[in-house]
Amino acid sequence: MSPSAASTRLWWVLAAVPVAFLTLFFLWPVGAVLARGLLEADAGTGSGIAAALEVLTRERTVRAILTTVGLALAGTAGSLGLGLPAAWALSRFRWRGARTVRALVTVPFVLPTIVVAAAFSALLSRSGLLGAWGLDQSALAIVAALVFFNVSVVVRIVGGAWESLSPRMADAARTLGAGRATAWWRVTMPALRPAITSAAAVVFLFCSTSFALVLILGGSRIRTVETEIYLQVNQFLDLRAASVLALVQVVFVGLALLVSARVRPRRAATAVERARAPRRAEWVGIAAALTPVFLLLAAPVYALVERSLRTADGYGLDHYAALFGEPPARSTLPVPVWEAAVNSLVSAVVATAIAGVIGVLTAHLVAARTRRAGLLEALVMLPLGVSAVVVGLGLLLTLNRNVLGVDLRASWWLVPIAQAMVALPLMVRALVPAARAIDPGLRAAAATLGASPWRVWLRVDAPLLRSATGASVAFAFAIAMGEFGATAFVARPDRPTLPTAIGRLLSRPGLENVGMAFAASVLLAAVTAAVMLASERLRTTVGAEL
Amino acid sequence: MPVHRRGFGLVFQDGQLFPHLSVGANIAFGLEMAGMGRAARTARVADLLDMVGLAGLGDRGVTELSGGQRQRVALARSLAPRPRLLALDEPLSSLDANLRARLAVEVRDILHAEGTTGLVVTHDPAEAQVMAHRVLRMSDGHLL
């Protein structure tokens, strides 16, 4: 056999690992859910399509769809409204602390959704800091939380484009007789439009697939497609309705992805000019742009920490201590919170190991751009286009049984598998550029020096990818620790993870329960934020060589 | 036969030194692949560094070297496992004219000293005259 035929064969043998993993734990479960929603005949209503239409025309369903669109639009508008001025203030000018402020603005995005839900609940519930505003369980609370999350997306995407935009262009327009406003509207704005549209599409996507925020903050009154799927499964045991709603959600996400792919911002080729120091009047604008963002970000975090320390008689660490004791009598939690935290740690470690092995393998296999590499990359990225709730539902419906002689139902394996499925595409997306950045000539050089393909990988690829791998592994771990959407479906009630335990504590009234939920949220936020910071630091040291 | 079992060395136009390894570790790479022991490797690396005029620079990072030094390391690295044939693909083309003229002589002498058969590809007829015993001219894939 020729060497190239042998290496092609080896490629397929290795590719079988990610392909098998995705087929068994993603394509099959999600495909089964969608097929069930569309095709399965129903005794009561006849054909599958008719039954699907019956679900779609229910008043509940229509309301959930309208609520999803409405909340997502409001969340997107709010994120742009706060994010665009902040992007201007942070990317147009050079001032002391701008970098720090920008880093702080991106923190919310890495917080687990359940923590953000807990924080807004701490802020807005009746005994909260802003409890008097009566926003508990209101749509406005959900929109505020969505903006909290997504303002950083706008700052990142639009700020990046704005930074690479030469101010000379607007200056040129002014010399041609355009006033300040006209120059902005006719020159700057059109140049930024692709970035703004792209940011809006991504934010809309995140908003419409937000699960934990709506579930916790919406209470029983506000339901979106995501939470409706969960309720249909857990309260009404109507799997058909859940499957039909999953289908709706896949269409939603597909449309949002399509829009964002079409308007991917072009990197402006203009030379980046040094942003200048702001003038006095501009300081006022910067303050006006950043103050609302600061208040929105700081208030819930402050409220969360404050409520976690507030006890029946003043302040103390009682709630933190309670995490290590027996669960409160009135909660539905069967185990102490610390045990849920241990479950989370174990599950996140296993999920990280799974995602790590498959992610590194995939990155290696798709580093050279070939047709088969493109197909494999697309397959591994596919879970990004399906909400975690749909993934969780699929795993619950198809794998909650004996598979190939392994009884997955009785084991807790589905939890780390679900978390790995959510983390894997993000991990691959971070690793592939790093793998592609390795000059293929280095591998050729190693081969001429007598290194076999395996040793080339071990001695050239592996050391050059070490920091990128470290960063993406930390990232995957943080995602697995905070994962809620898919985990909520597959975690067994007697074996909760930390996020599902927080969710359950929050849904029960009583100072003791919510106090513990807030304390646990603070700890979860601290752990994930620390891991994310470590990941960020690892990533910035990449590329220092050569 | 797969590349790594051919026993042919190759000096790349742009060096292709491993950025994560020191100068010495770059040169030792092929020796390690051939299964040579540590002591023997160290001795051979020192010899080669000496031969290419970089004695004592084994612990440097390859990013700290000048262009001419890098190509010398690339040459030493390819020579280290004593290839049956060493192909040099425009080894000097990325260097400036002065250095190129000097290194052409040096490379020839080093190959001579090592007793390695070299196959040099170059666009520069003068360089070919300096380096080679035999010069073959090619045009559009045909020998002239």
Side-chain angles (χ1 to χ4, degrees):
Chain A
M1 199 188 306
S2 75
S4 81
S7 77
T8 306
R9 203 177 56 167
L10 180 67
W11 191 94
W12 282 110
V13 169
L14 292 176
V17 175
V19 169
F21 180 75
L22 278 136
T23 306
L24 186 57
F25 298 119
F26 178 76
L27 292 181
W28 179 38
V30 171
V33 166
L34 301 186
R36 188 185 194 121
L38 260 187
L39 303 173
E40 199 173 280
D42 183 82
T45 46
S47 83
I49 303 282
L53 280 177
E54 185 272 317
V55 174
L56 277 179
T57 48
R58 279 181 204 168
E59 201 249 327
R60 268 184 86 93
T61 310
V62 174
R63 196 137 49 92
I65 292 175
L66 290 178
T67 307
T68 307
V69 176
L71 285 177
L73 284 178
T76 309
S79 302
L80 288 175
L82 285 189
L84 290 179
W88 168 80
L90 290 172
S91 64
R92 220 68 203 110
F93 305 104
R94 186 166 294 258
W95 44 280
R96 267 177 92 90
R99 276 177 64 101
T100 314
V101 172
R102 194 190 300 205
L104 284 177
V105 167
T106 54
V107 165
F109 193 66
V110 304
L111 288 178
T113 48
I114 191 76
V115 170
V116 178
F120 273 87
S121 165
L123 182 68
L124 299 175
S125 65
R126 223 169 310 133
S127 46
L129 192 62
L130 303 180
W133 292 12
L135 290 174
D136 194 23
Q137 308 217 338
S138 72
L140 202 59
I142 297 174
V143 171
L146 289 172
V147 174
F148 175 93
F149 242 117
N150 290 301
V151 101
S152 69
V153 177
V154 176
V155 171
R156 250 190 205 197
I157 297 179
V158 180
W162 216 327
E163 227 166 21
S164 62
L165 204 70
S166 169
R168 294 254 183 271
M169 272 209 303
D171 292 348
R174 308 255 341 248
T175 64
L176 294 169
R180 193 180 280 269
T182 314
W184 197 86
W185 188 247
R186 296 286 302 276
V187 177
T188 309
M189 183 64 191
L192 284 180
R193 196 174 298 137
I196 295 174
T197 322
S198 171
V202 172
V203 171
F204 184 85
L205 180 68
F206 287 147
C207 288
S208 58
T209 55
S210 178
F211 173 58
L213 292 182
V214 184
L215 191 70
I216 301 295
L217 296 175
S220 54
R221 291 191 297 144
I222 299 171
R223 292 172 290 105
T224 61
V225 176
E226 293 270 293
T227 60
E228 184 66 9
I229 293 174
Y230 183 77
L231 291 177
Q232 288 293 347
V233 171
N234 281 316
Q235 284 189 4
F236 306 108
L237 300 173
D238 187 344
L239 298 181
R240 163 181 303 281
S243 302
V244 173
L245 287 161
L247 201 65
V248 171
Q249 191 64 359
V250 167
V251 171
F252 250 117
V253 174
L255 284 177
L257 281 178
L258 209 65
V259 171
S260 75
R262 287 189 69 130
V263 294
R264 174 109 9 116
R266 295 160 301 219
R267 276 261 152 236
T270 49
V272 182
E273 258 156 89
R274 283 177 61 90
R276 60 182 170 76
R279 299 189 198 98
R280 181 164 304 171
E282 285 162 347
W283 273 116
V284 178
I286 290 174
L290 293 178
T291 307
V293 178
F294 174 78
L295 288 178
L296 178 75
L297 299 191
V301 174
Y302 169 79
L304 179 68
V305 175
E306 192 264 344
R307 291 284 299 273
S308 78
L309 293 169
R310 194 198 296 175
T311 62
D313 45 352
Y315 288 97
L317 292 171
D318 300 20
H319 297 311
Y320 290 88
L323 299 179
F324 296 92
E326 285 304 307
R330 282 200 304 149
S331 80
T332 50
L333 216 55
V335 297
V337 176
W338 67 265
E339 212 176 300
V342 172
N343 291 343
S344 263
L345 275 177
V346 172
S347 160
V349 166
V350 175
T352 307
I354 296 173
V357 169
I358 295 180
V360 168
L361 188 61
T362 305
H364 177 68
L365 289 171
V366 305
R369 292 171 200 269
T370 58
R371 254 173 67 108
R372 56 176 195 259
L375 283 174
L376 179 63
E377 195 183 354
L379 173 69
V380 174
M381 291 313 230
L382 214 51
L384 262 194
V386 176
S387 80
V389 164
V390 176
V391 173
L393 175 65
L395 288 171
L396 181 75
L397 291 187
T398 50
L399 291 177
N400 220 344
R401 61 168 115 162
N402 212 317
V403 176
L404 308 172
V406 185
D407 190 3
L408 286 166
R409 179 187 44 208
S411 74
W412 51 275
W413 277 97
L414 278 182
V415 175
I417 285 172
Q419 294 172 345
M421 195 55 76
V422 173
L424 180 62
L426 298 165
M427 183 160 189
V428 168
R429 197 165 60 175
L431 271 179
V432 167
R436 289 203 172 128
I438 296 177
D439 190 335
L442 289 176
R443 300 192 188 102
T448 66
L449 292 166
S452 62
W454 162 241
R455 294 184 88 178
V456 171
W457 187 84
L458 202 67
R459 298 296 306 276
V460 178
D461 289 79
L464 288 174
L465 282 178
R466 194 175 297 143
S467 43
T469 309
S472 60
V473 161
F475 187 51
F477 179 81
I479 290 173
M481 273 302 284
E483 213 291 322
F484 184 76
T487 308
F489 282 85
V490 293
R492 292 190 310 162
D494 60 334
R495 211 189 146 87
T497 64
L498 194 49
T500 61
I502 293 172
R504 246 191 278 173
L505 285 171
L506 279 176
S507 65
R508 293 282 145 178
L511 181 66
E512 201 181 359
N513 281 327
V514 293
M516 277 173 72
F518 296 145
S521 297
V522 170
L523 292 183
L524 179 59
V527 170
T528 44
V531 173
M532 283 290 187
L533 277 180
S535 155
E536 196 76 0
R537 180 153 297 180
L538 276 170
R539 207 176 44 189
T540 47
T541 57
V542 188
E545 60 252 321
L546 263 179
Chain B
M1 192 188 283
V3 179
H4 65 281
R5 295 211 205 99
R6 285 179 200 165
F8 288 178
L10 178 58
V11 177
F12 292 78
Q13 190 175 350
D14 47 0
Q16 297 293 358
L17 299 180
F18 303 125
H20 55 294
L21 299 179
S22 69
V23 168
N26 260 281
I27 297 175
F29 189 91
L31 303 173
E32 217 178 310
M33 294 301 131
M36 187 186 269
R38 180 181 293 270
R41 282 205 307 260
T42 315
R44 175 90 174 127
V45 168
D47 282 352
L48 283 159
L49 279 172
D50 206 27
M51 189 186 294
V52 296
L54 297 173
L57 298 189
D59 292 331
R60 287 271 181 94
V62 293
T63 46
E64 301 165 44
L65 301 179
S66 68
Q69 286 175 323
R70 280 189 202 197
Q71 280 310 83
R72 284 173 215 234
V73 175
L75 178 67
R77 185 179 71 174
S78 316
L79 282 171
R82 297 189 203 280
R84 295 189 291 147
L85 173 76
L86 181 62
L88 299 101
D89 178 14
E90 304 193 31
L92 307 177
S93 64
S94 62
L95 306 176
D96 65 62
N98 260 336
L99 192 60
R100 207 150 78 192
R102 215 175 66 222
L103 265 184
V105 179
E106 281 184 25
V107 169
R108 181 193 65 194
D109 293 347
I110 290 167
L111 286 178
H112 204 73
E114 274 283 302
T116 304
T117 307
L119 179 66
V120 183
V121 177
T122 175
H123 281 111
D124 182 347
E127 196 176 289
Q129 289 299 342
V130 172
M131 292 179 84
H133 291 117
R134 247 185 105 192
V135 178
L136 300 171
R137 296 163 67 87
M138 287 187 83
S139 174
D140 291 336
H142 295 287
L143 284 174
L144 297 179

